[in-house]
Amino acid sequence: AIARGDFSRVERSAHTLKGASATFGATSLVSAALRIEKMGHAHTLDGIAPALVAVETALDALRAELAVLITS
């Protein structure tokens, strides 16, 4: 969606990620997804690279937290 400049898809995907993240209480991931959702809504991808890095970082943190919960 990003490569194609499909702003509606970017917005919807980020919105879905934001909602799922909120279910887990992953506030950093919610914030990062919200940034991307707003970009899609505004039809701009300016600053998308650091926003994607923020999502990836927050996802890594959530994965680590979930791994601890699963193994304990």
Side-chain angles (χ1 to χ4, degrees), residues 37-64:
E37 182 182 5
K38 287 180 178 180
M39 288 178 196
H41 184 76
H43 289 218
T44 183
L45 297 177
D46 293 339
I48 194 73
L52 290 172
V53 169
V55 165
E56 190 172 338
T57 301
L59 273 172
D60 289 344
L62 177 58
R63 278 189 208 106

Side-chain angles (χ1 to χ4, degrees), residues 14-43:
H15 180 80
T16 300
L17 177 60
K18 181 183 74 174
S21 303
T23 300
F24 287 101
T27 56
S28 295
L29 188 51
V30 170
S31 296
L34 178 60
R35 283 177 52 198
I36 295 173
E37 182 182 5
K38 287 180 178 180
M39 288 178 196
H41 184 76
H43 289 218

